[in-house]
Amino acid sequence: MAAHFDRRLRKAAVTTTVAAVAVAALSASQAPDVTADGNGRQTTADNMPTSDTPPEESATGNSPYYTDLPPLNSPNPSPTTGPSSPGSSEAGIPATVLDAYKKAESELRRAKPGCNLPWQLLAAIGKVESGQARGGRVDANGTTIGRIIGPQLDGNGFALIKDTDNGVYDGNSSYDNAVGPMQFIPSTWAWAGRDGNGDGKEDPNNVYDAALAAGHYLCRFDWDLSDQGDLNRAILSYNNSQDYLNTVLSWLEHYRKGTHEIPDGTGSLPVGRSDDTAAGVDPSPGGAGASTGSQTPGATPGPTRSPSKPPSSGKPTDPGGPSTSPSTPPKDPTPPAETPTPPPTPTDTVHHLENAGTTGLTAIAGDTFAKKVSTRAETKAGEAVGKVRIRFTVVGDTDAAFTGGDKVAAVTTNASGVAVAPALVAGEQTGGFTVRATVIGRTVPGLDYKATVTERVADALASTGETELTCTPGGEFADPVQVKATLKGAVADQVAVTATLIKSKDDPTENDKGPYFKDADGKAVRTLTGRKTDANGLLELPKLFADDAEGTYVLRLTTPGGGRLDITLKVAKAAEPTPDPSTEPSTAPEA
């Protein structure tokens, strides 16, 4: 009984503290009144940070999270030190988990420097989502020892997200569950997943992969996380709850003030959870301190729900006796009212997708496509459907991506039923690929758009040195050939240049004698390919050699786009020196 009472007190303290944080946050922003929606979540006026990310597009599907708050006594501001650092396990971060957060921050600083992602934000989310991978219970590669699986999202107290991975990640072929230390749902992991430890796999149960994926997820809309508004929006898109936002911000501030590294597996396990609606009852199967789901290695999760409250008649029950007199005959039970069928959502009415006028998706390597992919959602009768979320996915062997480097983007259709994808940016890999549009939350055929990346071009080539070079038979040309490529007068970088020693200006056939280049084995070659100009449009060719055949030869350089330059090469014996008359002996007869 004492333990039960203590747990109730602890739960009440957590709830009170979270409420205090929320009030402080609202006071600081001078926000108007806060109300609760049908799910008990707070809703605010337009000047408060909100997220329009639906559960199926969020990282977690708005799954339950831990509500434990940081210790009142924050650690001293100092860099993290070794495992022997003093401090509570509650405030410390397990070594491998901390390393994963810092590596993810480093990668995001390189890939998306404008996002300004701090590792402390990943730590705050990791704390709230899984208690730092259940106190750092990971193996040497960063994979959790036993899966961390949240409740199935079957609409019973949670979002309704039917199975999207055939149970591959969560072991549930009926509904999706959040998975791993950062609690990704499979449908989001399908496009957000990353390989953070370089093992060639994208595993939501690996803390390196999950931390890097979380970083890219938080940076996906070109948000600047050093801006408080963008930071709030990013956190809410991860799990759309104001209480979640406040809890994450509390841990973020705590970790920013300093923390310490602790050995793997020694971290404390959280207690309070957001779906723990019955005070004093831990909804997790493992009891107090359990994760948001199954902790058994390889276990297949079943339905995991918070306990239902006992039914109530609406009146207090008299503890001294029955609430109804035995002499009173029971009344006929009132038949339950029929549950009205909810009206169809806009997504339910989508029958097919139509091309909204996108044609000619072609771009030069490294350039932004001039046209954007646009799709129209329509009913069976061909009427436009607004407020439908469309997922655009780059498919195929290509390094092309949407602005910001992401391969997937979600866009809501406008009143005309049209969704326009972000701009496509071509990579350096040439060839074709596909952009596929699909309806989020409804199984209708996708719509494919073919796109092509062509090689970089230059329309002019100019020599930066002499256009006529000379060499003696069997020797080597002293000066290298250097050229500059331009396109419409501007520098043309990364343009492929082909250099061929041809028979004459009128006969572009490769010559079989005269000057030549050498390959890696020292053999003569008279055609070079695969050479590209640098950032300044410049290219210097390897050294040229001459065989014993004297004559005048032509080196022709060409580029895609029409650039062309001919350089004359002469192979001739050195001229005999002209005698100096003053040094020649006299042949005149003597007088």
Side-chain angles (χ1 to χ4, degrees), residues 514-531:
Y516 60 90
F517 301 103
K518 288 183 179 181
D519 63 13
D521 297 325
K523 295 180 180 179
V525 292
R526 291 186 167 88
T527 298
L528 290 180
T529 59
R531 309 282 172 146

Side-chain angles (χ1 to χ4, degrees), residues 69-213:
L69 291 172
L72 294 178
N73 296 323
S74 297
N76 293 327
S78 62
T80 55
T81 55
S84 60
S85 302
S88 69
S89 61
E90 182 180 8
I93 300 177
T96 300
V97 179
L98 179 59
D99 184 56
Y101 296 149
K102 290 188 174 182
K103 283 189 174 180
E105 178 199 54
S106 178
E107 171 60 20
L108 266 296
R109 294 285 182 187
R110 183 196 64 78
K112 297 181 179 180
C115 181
N116 294 309
L117 172 82
W119 67 262
Q120 291 91 341
L121 176 59
L122 298 176
I125 291 176
K127 179 70 175 180
V128 172
E129 291 296 344
S130 69
Q132 310 298 20
R134 295 196 306 256
R137 286 158 178 80
V138 296
D139 63 20
N141 296 318
T143 301
T144 59
I145 300 172
R147 292 182 298 175
I148 306 174
I149 301 178
Q152 69 176 15
L153 300 174
D154 57 4
N156 187 5
F158 309 114
L160 174 59
I161 304 178
K162 293 185 178 180
D163 175 62
T164 61
D165 67 329
N166 200 28
V168 170
Y169 293 118
D170 53 18
N172 189 342
S173 58
S174 297
Y175 300 94
D176 271 352
N177 306 60
V179 179
M182 302 303 278
Q183 288 290 277
F184 276 97
I185 55 175
S187 58
T188 300
W189 183 261
W191 58 265
R194 294 293 193 279
D195 177 12
N197 61 353
D199 63 358
K201 298 184 293 184
E202 297 173 355
D203 182 4
N205 300 296
N206 182 277
V207 70
Y208 287 98
D209 295 358
L212 184 58

Side-chain angles (χ1 to χ4, degrees), residues 18-34:
V18 170
V21 172
V23 171
L26 293 173
S27 300
S29 61
Q30 297 181 344
D33 293 340
V34 179

Side-chain angles (χ1 to χ4, degrees), residues 471-477 501 514-519 522-526 542-547 569 571:
C471 179
T472 58
E476 60 184 51
F477 290 83
L501 290 149
Y516 60 90
F517 301 103
K518 288 183 179 181
D519 63 13
K523 295 180 180 179
V525 292
R526 291 186 167 88
K543 184 176 291 187
L544 274 163
F545 301 87
D547 59 15
L569 305 174
V571 180

Side-chain angles (χ1 to χ4, degrees), residues 384-397:
V385 184
K387 297 183 179 180
V388 173
R389 292 182 68 80
I390 305 297
R391 179 186 290 119
F392 296 96
T393 307
V394 177
V395 180
D397 183 15

Side-chain angles (χ1 to χ4, degrees), residues 221 354-356 358 361 368-376 388-394 401-404 406-414 417-425 433-438 447 449:
F221 288 138
E354 287 288 340
N355 188 330
T358 302
L361 285 173
T368 299
F369 283 75
K371 298 179 180 179
K372 296 181 179 180
V373 177
S374 57
T375 296
R376 175 181 159 99
V388 173
R389 292 182 68 80
I390 305 297
R391 179 186 290 119
F392 296 96
T393 307
V394 177
F402 295 113
T403 302
D406 291 319
K407 296 280 189 177
V408 177
V411 182
T412 303
T413 59
N414 59 22
V418 175
V420 181
L424 269 173
V425 180
F433 64 95
T434 299
V435 177
R436 180 166 299 152
T438 54
L447 186 60
Y449 299 78

Side-chain angles (χ1 to χ4, degrees), residues 289-355:
S291 74
T292 53
S294 169
Q295 296 187 28
T296 304
T300 300
T304 307
R305 301 183 178 91
S306 58
S308 302
K309 292 184 179 181
S312 171
S313 64
K315 297 180 181 179
T317 301
D318 181 2
S323 57
T324 305
S325 170
S327 61
T328 304
K331 297 181 179 179
D332 293 334
T334 302
E338 293 186 5
T339 303
T341 302
T345 65
T347 301
D348 294 333
T349 66
V350 177
H351 177 266
H352 60 273
L353 296 176
E354 287 288 340
N355 188 330

